[in-house]
Amino acid sequence: MQSVFSIVLAADGRAQVNGKDLPSDDAIFAQAKEQHAKDPELRAVIKADNAVTHGRVIHVLDLLKQANVNRSPSA
């Protein structure tokens, strides 16, 4: 079964991964890298509040890419 790395970006700047608060968006990288090491098929799902800037979402996508985590399930 494929694991999901669930990211929530809140309008007030908070970030959560799998329901746990993180101190910053950059902490997502460490979590993603750790989870990817355990499951190379790890896939990420991002839920961002409408007030979250496009730049912030792109930054998180870049962090996931650096950790070799794909955004969506492969076809």
Side-chain angles (χ1 to χ4, degrees):
M1 182 175 177
Q2 194 171 69
S3 297
V4 176
F5 190 75
S6 176
I7 302 166
V8 176
L9 302 176
D12 65 3
R14 289 179 298 125
Q16 287 186 332
V17 169
N18 297 335
K20 296 180 182 176
D21 289 330
L22 294 180
S24 68
D25 289 350
D26 291 333
I28 293 170
F29 173 75
Q31 291 287 318
K33 192 169 176 113
E34 180 182 321
Q35 291 299 315
H36 183 263
K38 293 177 185 176
D39 181 2
E41 296 299 314
L42 183 70
R43 297 292 180 255
V45 175
I46 300 173
K47 180 180 178 184
D49 186 276
N50 287 336
V52 172
T53 65
H54 179 73
R56 182 176 178 203
V57 174
I58 296 300
H59 175 68
V60 170
L61 290 173
D62 287 344
L63 293 171
L64 292 171
K65 184 177 180 182
Q66 291 171 31
N68 296 314
V69 176
N70 294 315
R71 290 180 291 175
S72 60
S74 56

